[in-house]
Amino acid sequence: MSAATGTALFLSDENLGNLVAEIIAAGRRLVAPARDPQAAVGGSADYRYISSAAELAFGDSLPRMSLKGFFLPQSEVLFKWHRKGADVEIEAVPTEFPPQIVLGARPCDTAALEIVDQVMDWGLRDELWFGRRNATTIFNLSCPVEDASCFCHAVDLNPDATRAADGMLTPVPGGYLVESCTEKGAALVEGHKALFESGDTGAAAERSAAAAQYRAAARAKVAADLQIDTTRIKEWVGDHFDDEFWTALGPRCNGCAACASVCPTCHCFDIVDEPEGVGHGARRRNWDTCQTGVFTLHASGHNPRADQNSRFRQRVNHKFFIYPSRFGEVLCTGCGRCSRVCPEGQDLAEVLACIDELARA
Amino acid sequence: MAATDTPMKPDGFHPRITAFVCNWCTYTGADLAGTSRLQMASNVRIIRLPCTGRIDHMFIVKAFERGADGVIVSGCHPADCHYTAGNYHARRRFGVFRELMDFMGIDPQRVTFSWVSASEGAKWKDVVNETVARVAELGPFDAYHELAGDTVTGGEPAPGPFEAASGAETPDPLEELEVGR
Amino acid sequence: MKELRDLTRKLLADGDAGVVIGWEEGRRGARPAFITTPDDADKLIFDARCVHNLANYLNPRKPQVKALGKPAVVVKGCDAKAVAGLLREAQLTRDRVILIGVRCGGVVQTPEMPAELTEATVATRCYGCDVREPKLVDHLVGDARPEPPVTAALDRRIAELDALSPRERWQFWTSQLAKCTRCHACRQACPLCHCERCITDKTQPQWIESSSHLRGNFAWHLTRAQHLAGRCVGCGECERACPVGIPLSLINRKLQLVVKDLFDYTVTDDPEVPAPIGAYAVDDKQEFIE
């Protein structure tokens, strides 16, 4: 993925605050990495709706959860029903959403949206997903790279990728270099152009150099870790469904599925009907995951994925064989969240390295 | 059962109380209260179960979910259980659950636990009236009823379309039953 | 360490155990290890980063672990309490498991932290630990370790919450439970959550809504806590597994204190002592009953 190509403008730290204030004053919803104002202790940032620039936590570590909840909420209403005598009245949900802006998304989270777009428009277009996608303008934050669990470079991304983004902010001394890469992004900049300093001042060259250095350092940092070939992995995974390799991975996994919760690309959901009282209720879809036993449990009691070995294999299969077979790219952006969140130390990067090793042999 | 319409507050709030009672003592006691024509608040809907030992904490949670403002759990006095020890087990579980509710911010005053024997029609009347009065004072339990109106992502309201509106009205379930037929 | 590795080699070589479950070095700190051949015994480690409660792997509903053969599990004192829980609840028979006790001087909060125990890094569960040397074991290894620094942070926080009004507590818990995605990592990480079919996975009837709105989340967390009352060993694995950082240990610890107060019961590593819920005393406290 190439970096943003629009003309770079400068947004000072102070004007970032002003930009946030203007966006909120204009009545638009703003999502950014921010700390939980109610948390007793610090903790890391999450993507949240914010109401002031003071909440911004761009400097924090990678947000704990990915951005997907703002497009596929963990629980959302598909429609409501009301019984009217012998009839049932269906109340549809709107698929148009008020505009929202994301500032400071990590490139791996933003790129994930476009990867998931494919399955959301596969035969049937998911209007709720695309309604939110279309209503959202996303400005990435060029990523400093979190730690050794990051591997975006190994799945065709980069810490300064702008895939699916409308623009990008790159930290430079005193503020951010801002590039827009879509019309939506340009419109956002245009709407607040008094806050942006143009690129022709004397300091501009220095800032460009600082930005280039920042990005190069991040790329070098992430590239130092995992060296794999996803094509090779796809072939091996496709050919080794019953390999003993999988039985070595399952025991450690306790099936907690925290990996799927935090994953920017895991998008499976369950659909449930919930009564809200007598004669009326809602159909909802909720996040679901192949890491749990009930995900594949048949009504008969038979479970085709009867143990955690087969469930973990499914996770790797879906991401690195099934999805690329169907849509031409892996269902993973290398954010490393699954490795960080796993209470038992299961490490996807390590698993991929092992598979790559096996595939090479 | 004899009933009086008791507006417990000037604003006319009638709390909805769900009572989970055991078949052998409290249900019979409540029956006695009725046949004795004792006057009491009509806000309580009774659900009869074999024993307090059969009453799960989820019953209380479900009652709150579905619109109850208060709950009564009542059964046989200690040593009187039809099944010997059901009420002793219930006493342990609800002793813990009451503390748990309190810790989670659910005011335990919304839940009355009582022993009412088959001969204590008058005590049942008092339990009902006191519970209704106490819950009326606390007001509707909208905080619980509207919980699903607050679906969130990352700690903030999610962009879901119904989130703000749902749960705002809780019509009388009995009226809705009519609609359903 | 040598003692542990030698014992592991012997157990596997003699065929007494099919797998030794202990800890190894992972890319992000210590992590569970499944040693099935004597040659791998040297992978095993034990230090203050070995926070995982390996009793979780003795849950009979884990076919992938069962398939490895008879397990020998390395247990700290607190882990032994969880094993006792499984024995007490007939999920395990004593002859089906080999328990290798390690003398423990406390653990840090997460396996990624350096193995240095300070008041800031020590796990809250180590406060008041009464089983530095596990009793429920077949083998005991390691030297006695010094007492860890003490932190009563959890109890202090509970006291703070207790001092709030119900409304303020409600606000605190709604803000916390709002984050819950209902992945049920807390359940999976819990060594005592061993039901064949969890109540939250049941749909007929559906007592607990699977939706992650606050109504479903309250029903779940109230039930999880209630079902663990008097059973929870306080290992804190649920809180550590939670991907959104809900302070579940506050609830668990609160109920430990409640159970202590109401029934004078403290969770023990003696499987013969019955759990307080499921037992009763004729003269139990009943001030709350009218």
Side-chain angles (χ1 to χ4, degrees):
Chain A
M1 284 299 117
S2 64
T5 49
T7 324
L9 300 169
F10 178 65
L11 181 69
S12 67
D13 287 329
E14 191 189 346
N15 277 341
L16 174 64
N18 292 332
L19 177 64
V20 169
E22 284 186 16
I23 290 171
I24 288 163
R28 300 173 82 176
R29 305 212 290 179
L30 184 56
V31 178
R35 294 269 178 101
D36 178 358
Q38 301 220 32
V41 283
S44 70
D46 272 314
Y47 293 114
R48 319 174 69 85
Y49 286 111
I50 61 167
S51 52
S52 85
E55 294 172 51
L56 286 178
F58 278 5
D60 263 38
S61 50
L62 185 74
R64 193 162 35 192
M65 301 292 278
S66 81
L67 201 53
K68 74 175 169 190
F70 293 89
F71 302 88
L72 181 70
Q74 59 197 40
S75 176
E76 86 178 310
V77 176
L78 299 177
F79 60 78
K80 291 203 164 191
W81 81 81
H82 307 267
R83 252 164 52 185
K84 299 274 182 209
D87 294 327
V88 175
E89 198 171 85
I90 298 293
E91 185 185 338
V93 298
T95 50
E96 300 254 329
F97 295 88
Q100 64 180 2
I101 292 161
V102 184
L103 282 186
R106 297 296 175 113
C108 46
D109 290 333
T110 312
L113 300 172
E114 198 170 281
I115 295 172
V116 177
D117 276 351
Q118 305 199 66
V119 73
M120 290 295 184
D121 194 17
W122 180 44
L124 186 74
R125 194 173 165 82
D126 192 305
E127 299 296 348
L128 289 164
W129 170 270
F130 286 104
R132 292 191 176 93
R133 288 279 283 123
N134 294 336
T136 309
T137 306
I138 305 174
F139 270 72
N140 282 354
L141 179 70
S142 186
C143 180
V145 179
E146 190 65 30
D147 57 27
S149 290
C150 281
F151 60 96
C152 59
H153 73 292
V155 286
D156 298 332
L157 272 176
N158 269 309
D160 57 342
T162 55
R163 182 173 183 190
D166 300 297
M168 183 166 68
L169 311 174
T170 307
V172 291
Y176 299 86
L177 270 199
V178 181
E179 294 147 277
S180 49
C181 40
T182 65
E183 278 175 26
K184 262 200 286 188
L188 179 68
V189 171
E190 185 62 24
H192 307 273
K193 64 180 170 189
L195 302 175
F196 296 89
E197 219 172 278
S198 81
D200 1 303
T201 61
E206 251 174 66
R207 288 185 190 127
S208 295
Q213 199 182 355
Y214 172 92
R215 290 178 186 178
R219 285 189 178 218
K221 187 176 172 189
V222 72
D225 288 315
L226 188 64
Q227 307 300 335
I228 53 166
D229 177 352
T230 51
T231 314
R232 194 157 59 203
I233 288 178
K234 174 180 167 238
E235 281 167 15
W236 190 90
V237 171
D239 292 342
H240 294 79
F241 190 76
D242 290 320
D243 198 271
E244 274 186 13
F245 174 72
W246 305 112
T247 59
L249 295 176
R252 178 177 296 125
C253 176
N254 68 22
C256 80
C259 46
S261 284
V262 297
C263 177
T265 57
C266 274
H267 54 266
C268 288
F269 52 81
D270 183 28
I271 293 183
V272 295
D273 288 349
E274 284 179 354
E276 305 261 328
V278 179
H280 63 105
R283 175 164 295 180
R284 289 179 168 269
R285 69 167 164 192
N286 301 324
W287 288 2
D288 201 358
T289 154
C290 57
Q291 294 310 290
T292 66
V294 287
F295 188 75
T296 45
L297 184 62
H298 293 184
S300 64
H302 172 66
N303 195 338
R305 288 187 209 132
D307 60 20
Q308 213 58 36
N309 299 336
S310 54
R311 290 173 207 140
F312 193 79
R313 176 181 62 194
Q314 169 62 19
R315 180 169 172 79
V316 177
N317 252 269
H318 191 195
K319 291 192 175 299
F320 296 94
F321 172 68
I322 300 172
Y323 210 81
S325 302
R326 178 91 58 194
F327 299 116
E329 59 181 332
V330 296
L331 187 67
C332 173
T333 60
C335 70
R337 281 192 181 86
C338 50
S339 307
R340 289 182 201 103
V341 81
C342 181
E344 313 297 358
Q346 192 83 300
D347 190 331
L348 183 61
E350 184 188 15
V351 170
L352 290 175
C354 286
I355 297 176
D356 196 61
E357 191 70 35
L358 289 168
R360 213 192 311 238
Chain B
M1 189 188 294
T4 49
D5 195 24
T6 351
M8 302 309 296
K9 269 187 134 181
D11 62 6
F13 165 58
H14 294 260
R16 283 198 285 187
I17 312 286
T18 307
F20 298 102
V21 305
C22 94
N23 175 48
W24 303 99
C25 291
T26 304
Y27 191 83
T28 316
D31 221 12
L32 178 63
T35 50
S36 310
R37 297 181 176 268
L38 298 178
Q39 298 291 303
M40 71 185 90
S42 60
N43 309 50
V44 177
R45 312 259 157 80
I46 294 181
I47 295 174
R48 178 168 62 154
L49 292 131
C51 176
T52 42
R54 172 64 186 90
I55 301 171
D56 195 278
H57 75 277
M58 273 311 301
F59 293 13
I60 299 176
V61 173
K62 197 53 94 180
F64 286 145
E65 283 183 3
R66 291 285 177 266
D69 301 302
V71 172
I72 297 171
V73 174
S74 184
C76 306
H77 285 269
D80 279 353
C81 179
H82 187 79
Y83 309 100
T84 314
N87 53 356
Y88 291 138
H89 287 290
R91 185 168 64 184
R92 283 221 158 176
R93 283 192 267 117
F94 288 118
V96 171
F97 190 64
R98 192 175 177 280
E99 297 286 335
L100 175 60
M101 283 193 295
D102 195 15
F103 188 63
M104 302 295 280
I106 300 169
D107 195 332
Q109 293 204 78
R110 291 191 181 274
V111 187
T112 302
F113 299 95
S114 66
W115 305 135
V116 173
S117 77
S119 62
E120 291 178 320
K123 184 177 178 187
W124 175 250
K125 182 197 78 173
D126 291 343
V127 165
V128 165
N129 283 343
E130 282 163 21
T131 305
V132 171
R134 197 169 57 231
V135 175
E137 198 55 44
L138 292 170
F141 201 9
D142 291 341
Y144 211 102
H145 305 157
E146 292 170 9
L147 277 178
D150 287 325
T151 307
V152 292
T153 301
E156 294 296 328
F162 279 110
E163 272 66 5
S166 80
E169 286 179 30
T170 44
D172 190 317
L174 290 186
E175 280 170 27
E176 286 180 65
L177 269 178
E178 302 294 325
V179 173
R181 286 166 190 160
Chain C
M1 207 86 80
K2 183 171 181 306
E3 209 181 343
L4 174 62
R5 290 170 178 171
D6 287 345
L7 176 62
T8 297
R9 254 186 294 273
K10 185 172 172 356
L11 288 172
L12 292 172
D14 294 353
D16 292 338
V19 57
V20 175
I21 307 176
W23 293 271
E24 67 179 13
E25 195 70 58
R27 292 205 324 156
R28 301 189 68 91
R31 67 174 180 186
F34 295 77
I35 308 295
T36 49
T37 60
D39 293 346
D40 286 342
D42 286 339
K43 282 186 182 171
L44 287 177
I45 59 165
F46 180 73
D47 59 33
R49 299 169 305 149
C50 298
V51 305
H52 316 74
N53 190 337
L54 302 179
N56 195 12
Y57 294 113
L58 296 177
N59 179 328
R61 253 69 72 177
K62 289 194 186 295
Q64 65 277 2
V65 179
K66 259 190 180 167
L68 301 176
K70 182 176 178 179
V73 183
V74 186
V75 289
K76 306 181 291 292
C78 45
D79 306 341
K81 288 183 181 177
V83 177
L86 292 172
L87 290 167
R88 187 180 295 128
E89 294 168 11
Q91 299 303 308
L92 189 67
T93 49
R94 190 63 186 83
D95 58 335
R96 298 301 299 265
V97 61
I98 298 167
L99 297 172
I100 306 172
V102 280
R103 294 187 180 87
C104 173
V107 292
V108 291
Q109 288 149 13
T110 73
E112 294 168 46
M113 294 173 119
E116 291 156 29
L117 288 162
T118 69
E119 205 177 316
T121 63
V122 68
T124 50
R125 76 174 108 152
C126 298
Y127 172 58
C129 175
D130 54 359
V131 279
R132 302 240 165 266
E133 183 178 300
K135 294 186 285 290
L136 182 69
V137 294
D138 300 295
H139 308 274
L140 188 63
V141 299
D143 299 325
R145 294 177 187 228
E147 285 287 314
V150 166
T151 173
L154 199 55
D155 287 21
R156 272 201 305 275
R157 185 76 185 117
I158 288 171
E160 279 169 25
L161 286 169
D162 280 340
L164 299 175
S165 69
R167 176 181 290 273
E168 289 167 314
R169 275 198 296 276
W170 175 260
Q171 280 164 354
F172 172 75
W173 284 113
T174 46
S175 79
Q176 292 300 323
L177 300 191
K179 298 185 286 191
C180 178
T181 68
R182 296 296 294 289
C183 66
H184 304 122
C186 44
R187 172 190 70 191
Q188 295 300 117
C190 176
L192 273 305
C193 271
H194 54 60
C195 288
E196 176 83 44
R197 189 96 190 250
C198 176
I199 183 171
T200 194
D201 286 339
K202 288 181 180 167
T203 52
Q204 287 183 332
Q206 182 137 31
W207 280 109
I208 301 176
E209 290 168 318
S210 60
S211 297
S212 60
H213 45 51
L214 274 167
R215 194 175 64 205
N217 293 354
F218 259 89
W220 164 243
H221 286 284
L222 285 167
T223 300
R224 192 196 68 81
Q226 176 76 10
H227 283 183
L228 282 163
R231 302 171 60 236
C232 171
V233 298
C235 67
E237 288 290 85
C238 49
E239 181 171 303
R240 198 170 64 78
C242 180
V244 296
I246 298 170
L248 294 168
S249 287
L250 287 175
I251 304 175
N252 296 336
R253 175 67 181 155
K254 172 68 185 179
L255 288 194
Q256 281 188 340
L257 297 171
V258 166
V259 165
K260 170 77 183 156
D261 177 52
L262 289 179
F263 318 125
D264 195 25
Y265 177 86
T266 309
V267 70
T268 160
D269 59 356
D270 180 353
E272 300 305 320
V273 176
I277 304 290
Y280 64 88
V282 172
D283 57 353
D284 276 335
K285 289 185 184 171
Q286 58 168 12
E287 286 79 14
F288 69 98
I289 301 175
E290 288 175 19

